[in-house]
Amino acid sequence: MNRRVVVTGLGPVSSIGMGIDVFAAALRAGHSGITPIAGFDTTGFLTERAGEVHEFQPHDMVSRIDPAEWGRSSLFAAAAARLALVDAGALDVPASAAARVGVCMGTTSGESQVVEKLTEHWLRHGYPQTPRQLTRQMPAGRVAEAVSRELDLRGTTMTVSTACSASNYALGYAFDAIATGDQDYMVVGGADSVCRWAHAGFYRLGALAAERCAPFDRDRAGVITAEGGVALFLESLDSAQARGARVYCEVLGYGLTCDARHPTAPDAASVARCMRLAHRDAGIKPDEVDFICAHGTATPANDAAEYEAVREVFGDRLPPMSSVKSMLGHTMGAASGFSAVAGALALSSGFLAPTINHLTTDPTMPGLDVVPNQARPAQAQIVQVNGFAFGGNNAITILGRLA
């Protein structure tokens, strides 16, 4: 089988809004979700801002699973998946079809807040009195399990832990699963939570910005940590047409590479190879790409490597390339999933999401158009979604307007 694969449902739970209508409006308006951190004590940090989802109330967003039994990342994933299926008009999956609906969710830190609570308990009280409820919440595999449990799905259930490119890995896996007939439907995306240890880790790396995330800007200073969950509902084109579903876009292909060189520093040559693999898999040429949803973390090294790779593949004709991290912050395992949603909206709603906080494009990046500060009306036909991660894990997906 070689079925065409389409996206028919989008479910964002983010610092700029929950649900696709609110999220799309905020994305178009260039809203920022960065606020002072409320989730942990920031005493001792020079950077005290993050993209937290302050309005998230899991009891209002999930119905089958008990929020008291699940960590925040898993609840983000379950809530986002429910939103995606509602958006797709596919919430009521019949029992006979449940085994043909798979789940693949990405994460960087899994249940990071649970790990912190357990660690604090162990340091204060030792191991004998370890809270069983927290222990049950800890496995990262529960991020995908929460989706299956919440929606009563019986197909493949997998959590992908390839850090900040994990949602793109999940999207590629789902594309293959549906195209080959292994599954009829897939719920894919990612989830992570703001936590003290990740914030501290980026801080010690010198990769945190104090106030704003400004990708590709001359004076960019680094990432802003963030959280959220995102889900996309995928099915075959035949299935979508048979049930009269709205189609946001078609998944055309993807590419994966691993730098295998450095724990954190990106490798532009490996990223460029990943782009070429994605183009080959999608059956397109570089000059057919109308828009790139950049990884765009706003660290000096990442943005420079991403630009170098794009320049190598696209030459002098650089498509517009914006980063939603300027609005959301870095949502870690959910990051490329949110970028995929931005790409789907570019194809279906006729606008390119902006890179906000932009003052001056890095002068070492000639020809770069970051869609500065304001969304741009456009009728994109093909969108490239970049996702890169520590460990050199690169994943790029290609989305297209349905022909």
PDB file of all heavy atoms in Angstrom, residues 346-383:
ATOM      1  N   ALA A 346      -0.515  27.594   7.693  1.00  0.00           N
ATOM      2  CA  ALA A 346      -0.022  28.340   6.532  1.00  0.00           C
ATOM      3  C   ALA A 346      -0.641  27.812   5.252  1.00  0.00           C
ATOM      4  O   ALA A 346      -0.989  28.576   4.337  1.00  0.00           O
ATOM      5  CB  ALA A 346       1.507  28.253   6.469  1.00  0.00           C
ATOM      6  N   LEU A 347      -0.822  26.502   5.191  1.00  0.00           N
ATOM      7  CA  LEU A 347      -1.369  25.877   3.985  1.00  0.00           C
ATOM      8  C   LEU A 347      -2.883  25.999   3.895  1.00  0.00           C
ATOM      9  O   LEU A 347      -3.433  26.099   2.803  1.00  0.00           O
ATOM     10  CB  LEU A 347      -0.966  24.405   3.955  1.00  0.00           C
ATOM     11  CG  LEU A 347       0.532  24.146   3.788  1.00  0.00           C
ATOM     12  CD1 LEU A 347       0.886  22.721   4.197  1.00  0.00           C
ATOM     13  CD2 LEU A 347       0.972  24.410   2.357  1.00  0.00           C
ATOM     14  N   SER A 348      -3.548  25.987   5.041  1.00  0.00           N
ATOM     15  CA  SER A 348      -5.014  25.945   5.036  1.00  0.00           C
ATOM     16  C   SER A 348      -5.669  27.299   5.307  1.00  0.00           C
ATOM     17  O   SER A 348      -6.810  27.524   4.884  1.00  0.00           O
ATOM     18  CB  SER A 348      -5.502  24.945   6.088  1.00  0.00           C
ATOM     19  OG  SER A 348      -5.109  25.348   7.394  1.00  0.00           O
ATOM     20  N   SER A 349      -4.969  28.191   6.003  1.00  0.00           N
ATOM     21  CA  SER A 349      -5.583  29.454   6.416  1.00  0.00           C
ATOM     22  C   SER A 349      -4.953  30.678   5.762  1.00  0.00           C
ATOM     23  O   SER A 349      -5.370  31.803   6.031  1.00  0.00           O
ATOM     24  CB  SER A 349      -5.524  29.592   7.942  1.00  0.00           C
ATOM     25  OG  SER A 349      -6.245  28.547   8.559  1.00  0.00           O
ATOM     26  N   GLY A 350      -3.922  30.478   4.960  1.00  0.00           N
ATOM     27  CA  GLY A 350      -3.398  31.566   4.153  1.00  0.00           C
ATOM     28  C   GLY A 350      -2.588  32.607   4.877  1.00  0.00           C
ATOM     29  O   GLY A 350      -2.615  33.790   4.514  1.00  0.00           O
ATOM     30  N   PHE A 351      -1.824  32.206   5.924  1.00  0.00           N
ATOM     31  CA  PHE A 351      -0.925  33.178   6.552  1.00  0.00           C
ATOM     32  C   PHE A 351       0.333  32.483   7.053  1.00  0.00           C
ATOM     33  O   PHE A 351       0.301  31.322   7.459  1.00  0.00           O
ATOM     34  CB  PHE A 351      -1.613  33.928   7.690  1.00  0.00           C
ATOM     35  CG  PHE A 351      -1.802  33.125   8.954  1.00  0.00           C
ATOM     36  CD1 PHE A 351      -0.865  33.179   9.991  1.00  0.00           C
ATOM     37  CD2 PHE A 351      -2.920  32.326   9.144  1.00  0.00           C
ATOM     38  CE1 PHE A 351      -1.032  32.454  11.155  1.00  0.00           C
ATOM     39  CE2 PHE A 351      -3.115  31.592  10.303  1.00  0.00           C
ATOM     40  CZ  PHE A 351      -2.162  31.655  11.322  1.00  0.00           C
ATOM     41  N   LEU A 352       1.439  33.227   7.001  1.00  0.00           N
ATOM     42  CA  LEU A 352       2.706  32.759   7.539  1.00  0.00           C
ATOM     43  C   LEU A 352       2.865  33.333   8.936  1.00  0.00           C
ATOM     44  O   LEU A 352       2.783  34.551   9.127  1.00  0.00           O
ATOM     45  CB  LEU A 352       3.874  33.210   6.657  1.00  0.00           C
ATOM     46  CG  LEU A 352       3.775  32.926   5.155  1.00  0.00           C
ATOM     47  CD1 LEU A 352       5.068  33.353   4.459  1.00  0.00           C
ATOM     48  CD2 LEU A 352       3.469  31.460   4.877  1.00  0.00           C
ATOM     49  N   ALA A 353       3.074  32.482   9.921  1.00  0.00           N
ATOM     50  CA  ALA A 353       3.258  32.939  11.299  1.00  0.00           C
ATOM     51  C   ALA A 353       4.522  33.790  11.388  1.00  0.00           C
ATOM     52  O   ALA A 353       5.529  33.494  10.733  1.00  0.00           O
ATOM     53  CB  ALA A 353       3.352  31.747  12.239  1.00  0.00           C
ATOM     54  N   PRO A 354       4.510  34.828  12.204  1.00  0.00           N
ATOM     55  CA  PRO A 354       5.670  35.718  12.279  1.00  0.00           C
ATOM     56  C   PRO A 354       6.736  35.246  13.264  1.00  0.00           C
ATOM     57  O   PRO A 354       6.489  34.370  14.105  1.00  0.00           O
ATOM     58  CB  PRO A 354       5.055  37.027  12.780  1.00  0.00           C
ATOM     59  CG  PRO A 354       3.941  36.572  13.684  1.00  0.00           C
ATOM     60  CD  PRO A 354       3.382  35.321  13.020  1.00  0.00           C
ATOM     61  N   THR A 355       7.904  35.826  13.155  1.00  0.00           N
ATOM     62  CA  THR A 355       8.928  35.760  14.195  1.00  0.00           C
ATOM     63  C   THR A 355       8.838  37.079  14.950  1.00  0.00           C
ATOM     64  O   THR A 355       9.211  38.133  14.415  1.00  0.00           O
ATOM     65  CB  THR A 355      10.338  35.614  13.600  1.00  0.00           C
ATOM     66  OG1 THR A 355      10.399  34.446  12.790  1.00  0.00           O
ATOM     67  CG2 THR A 355      11.384  35.537  14.696  1.00  0.00           C
ATOM     68  N   ILE A 356       8.308  37.053  16.171  1.00  0.00           N
ATOM     69  CA  ILE A 356       8.174  38.303  16.913  1.00  0.00           C
ATOM     70  C   ILE A 356       9.482  38.618  17.645  1.00  0.00           C
ATOM     71  O   ILE A 356      10.447  37.852  17.570  1.00  0.00           O
ATOM     72  CB  ILE A 356       6.976  38.279  17.877  1.00  0.00           C
ATOM     73  CG1 ILE A 356       7.199  37.264  19.010  1.00  0.00           C
ATOM     74  CG2 ILE A 356       5.690  37.950  17.128  1.00  0.00           C
ATOM     75  CD1 ILE A 356       6.178  37.388  20.139  1.00  0.00           C
ATOM     76  N   ASN A 357       9.515  39.726  18.316  1.00  0.00           N
ATOM     77  CA  ASN A 357      10.700  40.207  19.051  1.00  0.00           C
ATOM     78  C   ASN A 357      11.865  40.535  18.127  1.00  0.00           C
ATOM     79  O   ASN A 357      13.011  40.603  18.571  1.00  0.00           O
ATOM     80  CB  ASN A 357      11.164  39.166  20.086  1.00  0.00           C
ATOM     81  CG  ASN A 357      10.079  38.779  21.057  1.00  0.00           C
ATOM     82  OD1 ASN A 357       9.326  39.622  21.526  1.00  0.00           O
ATOM     83  ND2 ASN A 357       9.977  37.492  21.355  1.00  0.00           N
ATOM     84  N   HIS A 358      11.577  40.721  16.839  1.00  0.00           N
ATOM     85  CA  HIS A 358      12.669  40.904  15.880  1.00  0.00           C
ATOM     86  C   HIS A 358      13.024  42.373  15.721  1.00  0.00           C
ATOM     87  O   HIS A 358      12.152  43.215  15.492  1.00  0.00           O
ATOM     88  CB  HIS A 358      12.278  40.326  14.517  1.00  0.00           C
ATOM     89  CG  HIS A 358      13.434  40.192  13.586  1.00  0.00           C
ATOM     90  ND1 HIS A 358      14.369  39.195  13.705  1.00  0.00           N
ATOM     91  CD2 HIS A 358      13.812  40.935  12.522  1.00  0.00           C
ATOM     92  CE1 HIS A 358      15.277  39.320  12.760  1.00  0.00           C
ATOM     93  NE2 HIS A 358      14.963  40.361  12.037  1.00  0.00           N
ATOM     94  N   LEU A 359      14.297  42.662  15.830  1.00  0.00           N
ATOM     95  CA  LEU A 359      14.785  44.032  15.644  1.00  0.00           C
ATOM     96  C   LEU A 359      15.671  44.140  14.412  1.00  0.00           C
ATOM     97  O   LEU A 359      15.374  44.869  13.486  1.00  0.00           O
ATOM     98  CB  LEU A 359      15.545  44.498  16.893  1.00  0.00           C
ATOM     99  CG  LEU A 359      14.727  44.571  18.189  1.00  0.00           C
ATOM    100  CD1 LEU A 359      15.617  44.964  19.363  1.00  0.00           C
ATOM    101  CD2 LEU A 359      13.564  45.540  18.035  1.00  0.00           C
ATOM    102  N   THR A 360      16.754  43.349  14.398  1.00  0.00           N
ATOM    103  CA  THR A 360      17.707  43.409  13.288  1.00  0.00           C
ATOM    104  C   THR A 360      18.154  42.004  12.924  1.00  0.00           C
ATOM    105  O   THR A 360      18.676  41.274  13.770  1.00  0.00           O
ATOM    106  CB  THR A 360      18.952  44.231  13.674  1.00  0.00           C
ATOM    107  OG1 THR A 360      18.546  45.518  14.138  1.00  0.00           O
ATOM    108  CG2 THR A 360      19.892  44.387  12.484  1.00  0.00           C
ATOM    109  N   THR A 361      17.943  41.622  11.675  1.00  0.00           N
ATOM    110  CA  THR A 361      18.386  40.297  11.233  1.00  0.00           C
ATOM    111  C   THR A 361      19.905  40.208  11.339  1.00  0.00           C
ATOM    112  O   THR A 361      20.630  41.157  11.012  1.00  0.00           O
ATOM    113  CB  THR A 361      17.954  40.044   9.786  1.00  0.00           C
ATOM    114  OG1 THR A 361      16.535  40.169   9.696  1.00  0.00           O
ATOM    115  CG2 THR A 361      18.365  38.657   9.329  1.00  0.00           C
ATOM    116  N   ASP A 362      20.388  39.077  11.808  1.00  0.00           N
ATOM    117  CA  ASP A 362      21.829  38.846  11.920  1.00  0.00           C
ATOM    118  C   ASP A 362      22.493  39.175  10.576  1.00  0.00           C
ATOM    119  O   ASP A 362      22.139  38.592   9.543  1.00  0.00           O
ATOM    120  CB  ASP A 362      22.068  37.379  12.283  1.00  0.00           C
ATOM    121  CG  ASP A 362      23.516  37.071  12.614  1.00  0.00           C
ATOM    122  OD1 ASP A 362      24.412  37.701  12.027  1.00  0.00           O
ATOM    123  OD2 ASP A 362      23.748  36.178  13.447  1.00  0.00           O
ATOM    124  N   PRO A 363      23.444  40.104  10.557  1.00  0.00           N
ATOM    125  CA  PRO A 363      24.061  40.491   9.289  1.00  0.00           C
ATOM    126  C   PRO A 363      24.872  39.385   8.623  1.00  0.00           C
ATOM    127  O   PRO A 363      25.216  39.498   7.443  1.00  0.00           O
ATOM    128  CB  PRO A 363      24.964  41.669   9.685  1.00  0.00           C
ATOM    129  CG  PRO A 363      25.203  41.504  11.144  1.00  0.00           C
ATOM    130  CD  PRO A 363      23.964  40.878  11.687  1.00  0.00           C
ATOM    131  N   THR A 364      25.150  38.306   9.346  1.00  0.00           N
ATOM    132  CA  THR A 364      25.865  37.173   8.738  1.00  0.00           C
ATOM    133  C   THR A 364      24.903  36.231   8.008  1.00  0.00           C
ATOM    134  O   THR A 364      25.339  35.175   7.539  1.00  0.00           O
ATOM    135  CB  THR A 364      26.644  36.381   9.798  1.00  0.00           C
ATOM    136  OG1 THR A 364      25.713  35.742  10.696  1.00  0.00           O
ATOM    137  CG2 THR A 364      27.569  37.299  10.595  1.00  0.00           C
ATOM    138  N   MET A 365      23.627  36.630   7.931  1.00  0.00           N
ATOM    139  CA  MET A 365      22.611  35.792   7.293  1.00  0.00           C
ATOM    140  C   MET A 365      21.930  36.547   6.159  1.00  0.00           C
ATOM    141  O   MET A 365      20.731  36.831   6.209  1.00  0.00           O
ATOM    142  CB  MET A 365      21.572  35.341   8.331  1.00  0.00           C
ATOM    143  CG  MET A 365      22.160  34.572   9.485  1.00  0.00           C
ATOM    144  SD  MET A 365      20.898  34.121  10.722  1.00  0.00           S
ATOM    145  CE  MET A 365      21.908  33.282  11.945  1.00  0.00           C
ATOM    146  N   PRO A 366      22.673  36.898   5.110  1.00  0.00           N
ATOM    147  CA  PRO A 366      22.068  37.666   4.019  1.00  0.00           C
ATOM    148  C   PRO A 366      20.956  36.896   3.319  1.00  0.00           C
ATOM    149  O   PRO A 366      21.026  35.676   3.167  1.00  0.00           O
ATOM    150  CB  PRO A 366      23.247  37.904   3.071  1.00  0.00           C
ATOM    151  CG  PRO A 366      24.239  36.831   3.394  1.00  0.00           C
ATOM    152  CD  PRO A 366      24.091  36.592   4.864  1.00  0.00           C
ATOM    153  N   GLY A 367      19.927  37.631   2.922  1.00  0.00           N
ATOM    154  CA  GLY A 367      18.821  37.031   2.183  1.00  0.00           C
ATOM    155  C   GLY A 367      17.769  36.387   3.046  1.00  0.00           C
ATOM    156  O   GLY A 367      16.758  35.889   2.533  1.00  0.00           O
ATOM    157  N   LEU A 368      17.959  36.387   4.380  1.00  0.00           N
ATOM    158  CA  LEU A 368      17.020  35.705   5.269  1.00  0.00           C
ATOM    159  C   LEU A 368      15.797  36.583   5.545  1.00  0.00           C
ATOM    160  O   LEU A 368      15.926  37.736   5.957  1.00  0.00           O
ATOM    161  CB  LEU A 368      17.700  35.345   6.582  1.00  0.00           C
ATOM    162  CG  LEU A 368      16.835  34.609   7.608  1.00  0.00           C
ATOM    163  CD1 LEU A 368      16.336  33.284   7.049  1.00  0.00           C
ATOM    164  CD2 LEU A 368      17.615  34.379   8.906  1.00  0.00           C
ATOM    165  N   ASP A 369      14.621  36.030   5.329  1.00  0.00           N
ATOM    166  CA  ASP A 369      13.343  36.691   5.615  1.00  0.00           C
ATOM    167  C   ASP A 369      12.666  35.917   6.736  1.00  0.00           C
ATOM    168  O   ASP A 369      12.195  34.801   6.528  1.00  0.00           O
ATOM    169  CB  ASP A 369      12.469  36.705   4.357  1.00  0.00           C
ATOM    170  CG  ASP A 369      11.057  37.188   4.612  1.00  0.00           C
ATOM    171  OD1 ASP A 369      10.780  37.731   5.709  1.00  0.00           O
ATOM    172  OD2 ASP A 369      10.209  37.020   3.702  1.00  0.00           O
ATOM    173  N   VAL A 370      12.611  36.510   7.934  1.00  0.00           N
ATOM    174  CA  VAL A 370      12.066  35.802   9.096  1.00  0.00           C
ATOM    175  C   VAL A 370      10.594  36.135   9.331  1.00  0.00           C
ATOM    176  O   VAL A 370      10.046  35.793  10.370  1.00  0.00           O
ATOM    177  CB  VAL A 370      12.884  36.121  10.370  1.00  0.00           C
ATOM    178  CG1 VAL A 370      14.322  35.672  10.212  1.00  0.00           C
ATOM    179  CG2 VAL A 370      12.800  37.602  10.724  1.00  0.00           C
ATOM    180  N   VAL A 371       9.934  36.761   8.378  1.00  0.00           N
ATOM    181  CA  VAL A 371       8.551  37.216   8.548  1.00  0.00           C
ATOM    182  C   VAL A 371       8.484  38.028   9.846  1.00  0.00           C
ATOM    183  O   VAL A 371       7.816  37.660  10.814  1.00  0.00           O
ATOM    184  CB  VAL A 371       7.539  36.051   8.573  1.00  0.00           C
ATOM    185  CG1 VAL A 371       6.113  36.565   8.439  1.00  0.00           C
ATOM    186  CG2 VAL A 371       7.840  35.038   7.477  1.00  0.00           C
ATOM    187  N   PRO A 372       9.195  39.157   9.895  1.00  0.00           N
ATOM    188  CA  PRO A 372       9.387  39.852  11.163  1.00  0.00           C
ATOM    189  C   PRO A 372       8.134  40.489  11.740  1.00  0.00           C
ATOM    190  O   PRO A 372       7.435  41.256  11.075  1.00  0.00           O
ATOM    191  CB  PRO A 372      10.421  40.927  10.806  1.00  0.00           C
ATOM    192  CG  PRO A 372      10.275  41.139   9.339  1.00  0.00           C
ATOM    193  CD  PRO A 372       9.889  39.811   8.774  1.00  0.00           C
ATOM    194  N   ASN A 373       7.781  40.056  12.963  1.00  0.00           N
ATOM    195  CA  ASN A 373       6.841  40.740  13.857  1.00  0.00           C
ATOM    196  C   ASN A 373       5.373  40.721  13.454  1.00  0.00           C
ATOM    197  O   ASN A 373       4.514  40.872  14.315  1.00  0.00           O
ATOM    198  CB  ASN A 373       7.286  42.184  14.093  1.00  0.00           C
ATOM    199  CG  ASN A 373       8.658  42.241  14.733  1.00  0.00           C
ATOM    200  OD1 ASN A 373       8.945  41.493  15.669  1.00  0.00           O
ATOM    201  ND2 ASN A 373       9.540  43.082  14.211  1.00  0.00           N
ATOM    202  N   GLN A 374       5.059  40.548  12.204  1.00  0.00           N
ATOM    203  CA  GLN A 374       3.666  40.512  11.765  1.00  0.00           C
ATOM    204  C   GLN A 374       3.434  39.332  10.831  1.00  0.00           C
ATOM    205  O   GLN A 374       4.246  39.060   9.951  1.00  0.00           O
ATOM    206  CB  GLN A 374       3.279  41.813  11.054  1.00  0.00           C
ATOM    207  CG  GLN A 374       3.260  43.032  11.958  1.00  0.00           C
ATOM    208  CD  GLN A 374       2.751  44.260  11.229  1.00  0.00           C
ATOM    209  OE1 GLN A 374       2.875  44.374  10.015  1.00  0.00           O
ATOM    210  NE2 GLN A 374       2.167  45.182  11.969  1.00  0.00           N
ATOM    211  N   ALA A 375       2.299  38.662  11.036  1.00  0.00           N
ATOM    212  CA  ALA A 375       1.936  37.577  10.127  1.00  0.00           C
ATOM    213  C   ALA A 375       1.777  38.119   8.713  1.00  0.00           C
ATOM    214  O   ALA A 375       1.463  39.293   8.516  1.00  0.00           O
ATOM    215  CB  ALA A 375       0.647  36.910  10.586  1.00  0.00           C
ATOM    216  N   ARG A 376       1.983  37.245   7.733  1.00  0.00           N
ATOM    217  CA  ARG A 376       1.954  37.682   6.339  1.00  0.00           C
ATOM    218  C   ARG A 376       0.939  36.847   5.548  1.00  0.00           C
ATOM    219  O   ARG A 376       1.005  35.617   5.569  1.00  0.00           O
ATOM    220  CB  ARG A 376       3.335  37.512   5.715  1.00  0.00           C
ATOM    221  CG  ARG A 376       3.441  37.951   4.252  1.00  0.00           C
ATOM    222  CD  ARG A 376       4.858  37.728   3.745  1.00  0.00           C
ATOM    223  NE  ARG A 376       5.821  38.426   4.584  1.00  0.00           N
ATOM    224  CZ  ARG A 376       7.132  38.183   4.578  1.00  0.00           C
ATOM    225  NH1 ARG A 376       7.619  37.239   3.773  1.00  0.00           N
ATOM    226  NH2 ARG A 376       7.944  38.853   5.368  1.00  0.00           N
ATOM    227  N   PRO A 377       0.012  37.487   4.870  1.00  0.00           N
ATOM    228  CA  PRO A 377      -0.889  36.724   3.993  1.00  0.00           C
ATOM    229  C   PRO A 377      -0.085  36.034   2.893  1.00  0.00           C
ATOM    230  O   PRO A 377       0.805  36.636   2.290  1.00  0.00           O
ATOM    231  CB  PRO A 377      -1.820  37.793   3.414  1.00  0.00           C
ATOM    232  CG  PRO A 377      -1.701  38.967   4.335  1.00  0.00           C
ATOM    233  CD  PRO A 377      -0.296  38.932   4.867  1.00  0.00           C
ATOM    234  N   ALA A 378      -0.377  34.777   2.651  1.00  0.00           N
ATOM    235  CA  ALA A 378       0.337  34.015   1.616  1.00  0.00           C
ATOM    236  C   ALA A 378      -0.445  32.743   1.325  1.00  0.00           C
ATOM    237  O   ALA A 378      -1.120  32.208   2.202  1.00  0.00           O
ATOM    238  CB  ALA A 378       1.755  33.678   2.062  1.00  0.00           C
ATOM    239  N   GLN A 379      -0.307  32.266   0.116  1.00  0.00           N
ATOM    240  CA  GLN A 379      -0.934  31.008  -0.283  1.00  0.00           C
ATOM    241  C   GLN A 379       0.157  29.972  -0.533  1.00  0.00           C
ATOM    242  O   GLN A 379       0.483  29.633  -1.659  1.00  0.00           O
ATOM    243  CB  GLN A 379      -1.792  31.219  -1.542  1.00  0.00           C
ATOM    244  CG  GLN A 379      -2.991  32.115  -1.321  1.00  0.00           C
ATOM    245  CD  GLN A 379      -3.967  31.545  -0.311  1.00  0.00           C
ATOM    246  OE1 GLN A 379      -4.211  30.342  -0.292  1.00  0.00           O
ATOM    247  NE2 GLN A 379      -4.528  32.399   0.526  1.00  0.00           N
ATOM    248  N   ALA A 380       0.738  29.521   0.562  1.00  0.00           N
ATOM    249  CA  ALA A 380       1.808  28.525   0.457  1.00  0.00           C
ATOM    250  C   ALA A 380       1.264  27.206  -0.082  1.00  0.00           C
ATOM    251  O   ALA A 380       0.149  26.803   0.241  1.00  0.00           O
ATOM    252  CB  ALA A 380       2.456  28.314   1.814  1.00  0.00           C
ATOM    253  N   GLN A 381       2.069  26.548  -0.886  1.00  0.00           N
ATOM    254  CA  GLN A 381       1.710  25.233  -1.425  1.00  0.00           C
ATOM    255  C   GLN A 381       2.470  24.112  -0.733  1.00  0.00           C
ATOM    256  O   GLN A 381       1.935  23.023  -0.549  1.00  0.00           O
ATOM    257  CB  GLN A 381       2.002  25.190  -2.931  1.00  0.00           C
ATOM    258  CG  GLN A 381       1.232  26.228  -3.741  1.00  0.00           C
ATOM    259  CD  GLN A 381      -0.269  26.030  -3.664  1.00  0.00           C
ATOM    260  OE1 GLN A 381      -0.763  24.918  -3.836  1.00  0.00           O
ATOM    261  NE2 GLN A 381      -0.997  27.105  -3.405  1.00  0.00           N
ATOM    262  N   ILE A 382       3.719  24.386  -0.348  1.00  0.00           N
ATOM    263  CA  ILE A 382       4.544  23.383   0.326  1.00  0.00           C
ATOM    264  C   ILE A 382       5.289  24.054   1.478  1.00  0.00           C
ATOM    265  O   ILE A 382       5.866  25.131   1.316  1.00  0.00           O
ATOM    266  CB  ILE A 382       5.548  22.722  -0.643  1.00  0.00           C
ATOM    267  CG1 ILE A 382       4.799  21.921  -1.716  1.00  0.00           C
ATOM    268  CG2 ILE A 382       6.513  21.806   0.114  1.00  0.00           C
ATOM    269  CD1 ILE A 382       5.692  21.278  -2.753  1.00  0.00           C
ATOM    270  N   VAL A 383       5.265  23.404   2.638  1.00  0.00           N
ATOM    271  CA  VAL A 383       5.913  23.921   3.845  1.00  0.00           C
ATOM    272  C   VAL A 383       6.891  22.871   4.374  1.00  0.00           C
ATOM    273  O   VAL A 383       6.571  21.676   4.423  1.00  0.00           O
ATOM    274  CB  VAL A 383       4.868  24.266   4.931  1.00  0.00           C
ATOM    275  CG1 VAL A 383       5.547  24.615   6.249  1.00  0.00           C
ATOM    276  CG2 VAL A 383       3.979  25.416   4.474  1.00  0.00           C
TER     277      VAL A 383
END
